[in-house]
């Protein structure tokens, strides 16, 4: 009996401080995002007024917000698709290629995922730079100078330019994850398949993809979610949302509403919308990928 | 898959190599260019992105320290990273131990509670966090920023460490209990040393997170002498649009990369293995 109480005390003492800190600094702010989105708030307590869903109604009449939402949606679709496809291709090359320098490639490809987003944003802003950037320099060198552009200053190219940086940053990360999964697939499966005359591509579709399916499902959700964070930093550093809001994403607009215009309630309504969309996308991708395994 | 068509094997190997080499250039180029540019004068930077600098100029680095206060920012980053790490370990090790070893009411719930936290991005909550910490007068304080970092790192770290601690054989604790060793002593003197590899993985992963974090540092710190290096660099980038001292900016970028690259070089094997253990990170 006495031992039981001592054990209970120990468990509580181990759990509680952590739980309290987590609740104050993470859980409580999350609840506040939802709660405060119903208020017209200048942020500092005084003059907070309950306005129901007025912030949300206002949001969907706000052209800049709608544009930023469209841009966020674009990135949430395009970036995960390209990233995960490339990651799968590279991973299978490394896993089945039997190259001696496999580990070297793994180390190099993973490298961008440990870099600060700020550093990545600054470096790529200079790579895309119209006069001193390598992109235009290469195009001039191979005679395509009429296509050289102000990549980040052109409303037609700016989002793709940012999307490519996000792909560059994340490919190696997911590749390493797939690589771990691929290396644990029993080799006999492939041997049996090749005796039956299956080509490399058929083996990839029929064996590799199904065996990795659970990992792929998780990475889809993680990469959709990851887009939100990195897009905030990259857009802030590279374009500040320009030109003329054509690279504005929902979270940079949220930041501006809060810390430039002091529209805190409105800003939190933006956070709620983005949060709900991220959850819905995760749910949809989860449902879609579920069917394919049946 | 290479076995059934030996004849094509060689050719396809070389095609693969060419693709992988092109990819390598794309992955490495920005970094190499950055290092080269950090030694160039402004005129040379403008001139051509291909050319090497005519001389090794360290004055970019000197200006990064003297005029752009990179030294202060780096110290702040080290301070915040170290504080966050200490707080995180104090918080996560006991929780992971209890979650891995003891059966109690609410254990599953607690575990899922932290796992749900994996989906909370810091950018979502930066506004309420700012407002709350403003009310509690915790703003512009490196200690409280570190507490926030540690709290934010909990879900992933709990996940990773609980998994690791489950894999430690129970016999060690059982024999300790027979010897009359209390729960706390067992945790400190037996479990913690055994969990060292897992703890190390947590430290490595979170070093990069803490060292690189931008959004929260931007919002929660306001005075210039407390800022961390990502915020300092982003400010410098903003200023460079008008002042064009690119050399100092590139030198600053190299400075922030030195600790990251060093740690990566030392731990990349552990890091990529940590991911194969099932360590997923958002």
């Amino acid at each position: 009996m006495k031992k039981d109480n001592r054990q209970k005390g120990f468990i509580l003492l181990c759990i509680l401080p952590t739980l309290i800190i987590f609740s104050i600094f993470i859980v409580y702010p999350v609840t506040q995002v939802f709660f405060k989105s119903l208020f017209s708030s200048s942020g500092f307590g005084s003059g907070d007024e309950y306005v129901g869903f007025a912030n949300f109604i206002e949001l969907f009449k706000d052209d800049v917000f709608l544009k930023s939402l469209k841009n966020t949606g674009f990135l949430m679709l395009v970036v995960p698709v390209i990233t995960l496809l490339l990651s799968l291709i590279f991973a299978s090359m490394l896993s089945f290629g039997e190259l001696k320098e496999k580990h070297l490639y793994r180390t190099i490809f993973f490298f961008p995922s440990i870099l600060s987003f700020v550093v990545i944003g600054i470096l790529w802003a200079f790579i895309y730079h119209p006069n001193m950037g390598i992109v235009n320099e290469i195009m001039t060198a191979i005679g395509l100078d009429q296509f050289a552009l102000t990549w980040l200053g052109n409303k037609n190219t700016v989002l793709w330019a940012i999307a490519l940086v996000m792909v560059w940053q994340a490919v190696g990360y997911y590749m390493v994850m797939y690589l771990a999964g691929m290396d644990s697939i029993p080799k006999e499966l492939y041997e049996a398949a090749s005796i039956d005359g299956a080509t490399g591509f058929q083996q990839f579709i029929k064996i590799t993809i199904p065996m990795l399916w659970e990992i792929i499902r998780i990475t889809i959700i993680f990469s959709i979610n990851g887009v939100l964070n990195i897009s905030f930093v990259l857009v802030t550093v590279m374009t500040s949302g320009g030109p003329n809001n054509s690279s504005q994403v929902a979270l940079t607009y949220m930041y501006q509403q809060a810390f430039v215009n002091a529209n805190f309630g409105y800003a939190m309504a933006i956070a709620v919308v983005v949060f709900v969309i991220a959850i819905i996308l995760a749910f949809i991708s989860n449902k879609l990928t579920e069917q394919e395994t049946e | 898959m290479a076995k059934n068509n030996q004849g094509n094997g060689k050719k396809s190997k070389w095609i693969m190599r060419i693709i992988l080499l092109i990819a390598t250039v794309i992955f490495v180029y920005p970094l190499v260019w950055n290092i080269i540019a950090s030694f160039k004068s402004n005129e040379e930077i403008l001139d051509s992105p291909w050319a090497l600098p005519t001389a090794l100029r360290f004055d970019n680095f000197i200006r990064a320290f003297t005029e752009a206060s990179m030294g202060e920012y780096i110290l702040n980053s080290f301070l915040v990273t170290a504080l966050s790490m200490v707080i995180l370990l104090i918080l996560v090790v006991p929780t992971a131990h209890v979650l891995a070893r003891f059966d109690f009411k609410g254990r599953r719930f607690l575990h899922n509670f932290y796992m749900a936290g994996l989906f909370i991005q810091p950018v979502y909550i930066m506004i309420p966090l700012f407002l709350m910490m403003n009310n509690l007068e915790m703003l512009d304080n490196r200690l409280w920023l570190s507490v926030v970092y540690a709290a934010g790192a909990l879900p992933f770290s709990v996940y990773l460490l609980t998994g690791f601690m489950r894999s430690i054989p129970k016999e060690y604790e059982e024999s300790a209990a027979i010897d009359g060793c209390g729960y706390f002593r067992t945790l400190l003197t037996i479990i913690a040393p055994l969990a060292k590899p897992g703890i190390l993985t947590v430290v490595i992963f979170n070093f990069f997170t803490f060292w690189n974090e931008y959004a929260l540092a931007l919002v929660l710190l306001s005075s210039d002498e407390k800022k961390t290096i990502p915020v300092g660099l982003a400010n410098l980038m903003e200023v460079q649009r008008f002042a064009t001292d690119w050399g100092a900016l590139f030198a600053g970028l190299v400075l922030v990369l030195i600790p990251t690259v060093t740690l990566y070089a030392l731990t990349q094997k552990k890091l990529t293995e940590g991911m194969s253990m099932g360590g997923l990170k958002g």
Side-chain angles (χ1 to χ4, degrees):
Chain A
M1 209 70 250
K2 204 178 151 204
K3 187 189 166 216
D4 233 36
N5 274 336
R6 275 213 356 240
Q7 193 184 58
K8 255 186 205 153
F10 174 72
I11 290 174
L12 279 179
L13 219 74
C14 280
I15 295 173
L16 272 186
T18 311
L19 192 60
I20 290 168
I21 297 271
F22 186 67
S23 303
I24 293 174
F25 289 98
I26 305 293
V27 181
Y28 175 74
V30 171
T31 62
Q32 283 294 295
V33 170
F34 287 89
F35 181 64
K36 285 275 182 64
S37 69
L38 304 174
F39 287 79
S40 158
S41 163
S42 60
F44 300 102
S46 60
D48 278 16
E49 190 192 338
Y50 178 77
V51 292
F53 289 99
N55 283 330
F56 293 94
I57 293 164
E58 191 74 13
L59 266 182
F60 285 96
K61 291 185 207 149
D62 179 343
D63 286 338
V64 180
F65 171 70
L66 292 176
K67 199 177 207 173
S68 74
L69 200 60
K70 215 179 93 197
N71 292 341
T72 310
F74 170 84
L75 293 175
M76 279 167 136
L77 287 176
V78 166
V79 173
V81 169
I82 302 178
T83 309
L84 299 183
L85 269 179
L86 283 177
S87 304
L88 268 174
I89 293 170
F90 284 139
S92 51
M93 279 184 177
L94 292 188
S95 183
F96 303 110
E98 294 172 345
L99 301 172
K100 284 189 290 289
E101 64 275 30
K102 171 182 169 180
H103 293 284
L104 185 68
Y105 290 128
R106 192 176 70 175
T107 306
I108 293 170
F109 289 15
F110 188 77
F111 177 67
S113 51
I114 56 148
L115 295 181
S116 138
F117 297 158
V118 173
V119 171
I120 292 173
I122 296 175
L123 284 179
W124 280 87
F126 282 96
I127 289 171
Y128 288 128
H129 197 283
N131 309 321
M132 39 196 262
I134 192 90
V135 176
N136 281 353
E137 199 82 12
I138 290 176
M139 295 190 95
T140 314
I142 57 175
L144 290 172
D145 35 337
Q146 72 264 37
F147 296 109
L149 282 169
T150 319
W151 301 101
L152 296 176
N154 184 314
K155 67 175 168 43
N156 297 317
T157 53
V158 62
L159 262 193
W160 278 102
I162 291 173
L164 282 183
V165 181
M166 292 161 86
V167 172
W168 179 86
Q169 187 270 337
V171 161
Y173 183 81
Y174 293 110
M175 183 197 79
V176 167
M177 244 146 126
Y178 293 149
L179 208 49
M182 283 179 189
D183 287 346
S184 64
I185 301 174
K187 291 283 169 281
E188 296 81 54
L189 285 177
Y190 294 102
E191 278 158 21
S194 56
I195 290 166
D196 292 345
T199 64
F201 182 70
Q202 282 170 334
Q203 293 176 23
F204 182 72
I205 298 293
K206 289 269 156 69
I207 301 173
T208 313
I209 300 283
M211 291 298 279
L212 282 182
W213 200 249
E214 281 311 306
I215 302 180
I216 293 174
R217 289 181 63 188
I218 297 167
T219 53
I220 292 173
I221 294 172
F222 271 88
S223 67
I224 290 174
N225 207 33
V227 161
L228 291 168
N229 214 7
I230 181 171
S231 71
F232 171 79
V233 184
L234 288 185
V235 169
T236 306
V237 171
M238 294 172 79
T239 66
S240 316
N244 191 21
N245 289 320
S246 36
S247 65
Q248 193 74 263
V249 289
L251 291 176
T252 51
Y253 190 53
M254 173 193 86
Y255 177 85
Q256 281 177 19
Q257 286 298 331
F259 295 103
V260 180
N261 302 349
N263 275 335
F264 286 92
Y266 195 65
M268 287 201 241
I270 298 176
V272 170
V273 172
V274 175
F275 192 69
V276 168
I277 288 177
I279 299 263
I280 290 174
L281 274 180
F283 185 76
I284 290 174
S285 87
N286 209 17
K287 275 274 164 259
L288 282 179
T289 52
E290 206 172 56
Q291 281 165 352
E292 295 204 23
T293 43
E294 280 172 308
Chain B
M1 139 171 147
K3 281 207 178 100
N4 61 331
N5 37 16
Q6 284 292 2
N8 284 332
K10 261 219 161 91
K11 214 169 101 196
S12 67
K13 234 179 208 183
W14 277 107
I15 295 173
M16 258 194 288
R17 277 210 171 100
I18 291 167
I19 297 172
L20 290 170
L21 277 176
I22 294 172
T24 301
V25 171
I26 295 172
F27 283 121
V28 171
Y29 168 75
L31 192 76
V32 174
W33 173 77
N34 180 201
I35 294 169
I36 293 171
S38 70
F39 290 105
K40 285 181 171 181
S41 69
N42 269 336
E43 296 74 46
E44 284 174 327
I45 291 169
L46 258 177
D47 205 34
S48 159
W50 310 100
L52 290 171
T54 49
L56 275 185
R57 261 173 269 270
F58 285 94
D59 49 330
N60 286 335
F61 288 89
I62 295 166
R63 276 204 315 288
F65 277 106
T66 53
E67 278 163 46
S69 33
M70 282 298 142
E72 273 175 47
Y73 296 148
I74 289 176
L75 279 183
N76 286 334
S77 274
F78 270 117
L79 181 72
V80 168
T81 305
L83 269 175
S84 310
M85 203 66 82
V86 171
I87 299 168
L88 172 65
L89 290 182
I90 294 173
L91 292 177
V92 76
V93 172
T95 292
H97 171 57
V98 166
L99 281 176
R101 273 297 186 266
F102 293 91
D103 208 17
F104 56 94
K105 227 175 118 186
R107 194 186 65 89
R108 270 195 78 82
F109 173 79
L110 193 66
H111 188 259
N112 293 337
F113 192 64
Y114 284 121
M115 289 313 97
L118 281 172
F119 288 89
I120 303 299
Q121 300 280 332
V123 198
Y124 284 136
I125 57 168
M126 69 183 184
I127 299 169
L129 210 48
F130 170 82
L131 295 175
M132 176 185 89
M133 291 172 75
N134 181 58
N135 288 336
L136 299 173
E137 298 187 3
M138 291 174 175
L139 283 182
D140 204 23
N141 183 318
R142 282 161 291 193
L143 174 66
W144 288 117
L145 179 70
S146 308
V147 174
V148 172
Y149 280 2
L154 275 173
F156 175 65
S157 310
V158 166
Y159 169 71
L160 204 79
L161 205 55
T162 307
F164 188 87
M165 283 184 161
R166 268 201 204 109
S167 69
I168 299 173
K170 269 188 179 154
E171 286 79 49
Y172 293 102
E173 294 146 76
E174 280 159 7
S175 60
I178 291 164
D179 292 346
C181 189
Y183 290 114
F184 281 103
R185 278 247 321 271
T186 312
L187 174 59
L188 278 179
T189 58
I190 295 174
I191 299 297
L194 284 171
K196 232 188 218 160
I199 293 174
L200 203 62
T201 309
V202 168
V203 168
I204 296 167
F205 268 106
N206 285 304
F207 172 85
F208 295 116
T209 314
F210 297 155
W211 181 259
N212 293 335
E213 206 284 334
Y214 169 70
L216 293 177
L218 172 73
V219 172
L220 302 181
L221 296 176
S222 53
S223 52
D224 204 43
E225 71 271 12
K226 290 180 187 164
K227 281 182 177 146
T228 55
I229 193 150
V231 180
L233 279 175
N235 285 349
L236 200 58
M237 173 73 175
E238 194 60 39
V239 176
Q240 294 317 319
R241 290 193 183 152
F242 316 103
T244 59
D245 183 1
W246 291 313
L249 177 64
F250 296 137
L253 290 177
V254 170
L255 290 175
V256 69
L257 286 175
I258 291 172
T260 324
V261 174
T262 313
L263 186 66
Y264 185 56
L266 292 175
T267 61
Q268 53 90 11
K269 208 157 169 253
K270 174 125 193 111
L271 203 63
T272 42
E273 271 166 14
M275 306 232 333
S276 16
M277 275 171 19
L280 294 171
K281 204 181 143 205

